[in-house]
Amino acid sequence: MSDAAARLKGHVEQLIGAPLPVRIRAWDGSQAGPPDAPTLVVRNRRALRHLLCKPGELGLARAWVAGDLTVEGDLYTALDRLSGLIWERDEDARTLARALRDPDFRSAVRGLIALAGPPLPPAPPREEARRPRRGLHTRHSDRRAISHHYDVGNDFYEIVLGPSMVYSCAYWPAPPPRGTLEQAQHDKLELVARKLALEPGGRLLDVGCGWGSMAVHAARDHGVSVVGITLSHEQAAYARKRVADEGLTDRVEIRVQDYRDVTDGPYDAISSIGMAEHVGSERYLEYATVLHRLLKPGGRLLNHQIARRPQRDETSYRVDPFIDAYVFPDGELAPLGTTVSLLERSGFEVRDVESIREHYALTLRRWVANLEAGWARAVTLAGPGRARVWLLYMAASALAFEHHRIGVNQVLAVRTPESGVSGLPLRARTWN
C-alpha cells in the first residue's frame, strides 16, 4: 500500500510540533494533507536525505535546487505557509541537542531515516558556492562572490530584469498593472539623480554599476561625466556596449575595479545602488570612509541598501544559509540604524532616509513573472538548477519585504564642509 506521504507528514509534524499547512505528494504517488493547500511534491527519497543531512533551510534549498522537491499550486502561498514553521525555525546546536533527548523527536528522526533509505548522503548541487569562511571581503573573495552571482549570463538577466537591466528596487507610482517595470525603474534612476542634484559638467561615481543603467541615465539625461565600477567582467562588457550604443563613450567610463582601488577623486556625487550589501560588517566603515574621501566637500552620496530588522542580541546574527550558499556568497544585511551610524562615523552628515520597502516587493513579483514567462529559455541559458535558485530566492524575498522581515532604504548623505553649508534645500523632499 502506498503511504509514504502520510508517514512523511506524520514524522514532520512530530518534529515541528504543529500541523503541516501544505499538502504532500510523495514519490510513490500517495498524498496527505489539506486538499485545498499548495502541494509540496517530494519527487524521490533523495529529497529526504538532503533534509536529514542539513535540517532546515539549507536542506530544503538543496532538495529544491536539485529538482527533488517542487511545489504545485501558488508558490507564494506555499512559501508563506512554510516560512514560520521551517525557514524561521532553524535551530542552534543547543536547541537541537535538547530535542534529541526527547524520545518522540528521536522516533520521528528514525522514521524519516527509514523513509529516506540507505544510500550515502547526496552531494550538494553544483550551484552551491563552496569556499572557506576565512578571509571574507578581501579583494579576491569579493571578486569570487560577485562572479558567482552576476556572471550567470547577461542573456539570463535580460529575461528576469527586462529591458531596463536594473537589478535593484524600482520606484512605483502605482501598483502594476498601472505602472510598468521599465517606467518604475526609470523613475528610480531619476529619483537618485534628483537626490544627488546631478548637473551638466559634474562627475558621478557609480559604485557597483551593474549593467550601466544609472551611468547611462546620468550621462544622457543630466549631462554628467560618469565612472562606473563593477567586479563583474560580464556586467562591464554589457555596460560598455550600452554606453557605445548610446554614443556616450566620451562621458562614461566603465571599469572592472574594486571600490577600494578608486583614487581619481574628487567626485561631485556618488551613487551606490544595491551594492553595499556585498561589503560586509567588518568592511563597512572602510567602505564609507573611502566614499567620503572620494567626494568633494559638499558632495552627496546616495546609498540604496537592503536592511534587516535589528536583533536584541546582534552577536547572534548569522547570514541566511540559502542566500549565502546559492545567491550572495559572503553578503550581509545590517539594520538601518547601523548603516546610518557607520556613515556618520566616517564623516558623512546623513540628511534623508527614505524607506521604499513595498516597492521592492512589487519589483520582485514582476521579476518572478518575467522568469516564469521565459522559463524554458532561462533553463537553457543558465541550467535548471540556477533557474530554480532564482525562482525561490525572488519569491521568498518578495514575501520577506511584504511582511517587513527586511526593508530597503535610500540614505542621502553629504560630505558637509567645515562651513556647515550642506547645499541642500531647507525642505529636502522637494529634491531641487
Side-chain angles (χ1 to χ4, degrees), residues 189 204 206 209 211-221 224-228 239 243 248 251-254 271:
L189 298 178
L204 169 69
D206 188 26
C209 67
W211 292 272
S213 300
M214 181 65 203
V216 168
H217 180 88
R220 182 190 61 212
D221 295 359
V224 297
S225 297
V226 186
V227 171
V243 168
L248 296 170
R251 275 186 277 166
V252 179
E253 178 187 2
I254 304 295
S271 55

Side-chain angles (χ1 to χ4, degrees), residues 7 27 44-50 52-53 109-122:
R7 291 168 61 194
W27 56 89
N44 51 53
R45 296 176 189 268
R46 187 173 62 182
L48 298 187
R49 297 180 200 126
H50 280 299
L52 288 165
C53 292
V109 171
R110 286 195 298 269
L112 288 173
I113 291 173
L115 269 177
L120 293 173

Side-chain angles (χ1 to χ4, degrees), residues 194-197 199 300 423-425 427-432:
R194 294 203 314 272
K195 288 181 177 182
L196 291 174
E199 295 180 350
R300 301 183 188 183
L424 272 81
R427 301 183 66 181
R429 287 290 174 131
T430 58
W431 301 127
N432 292 330

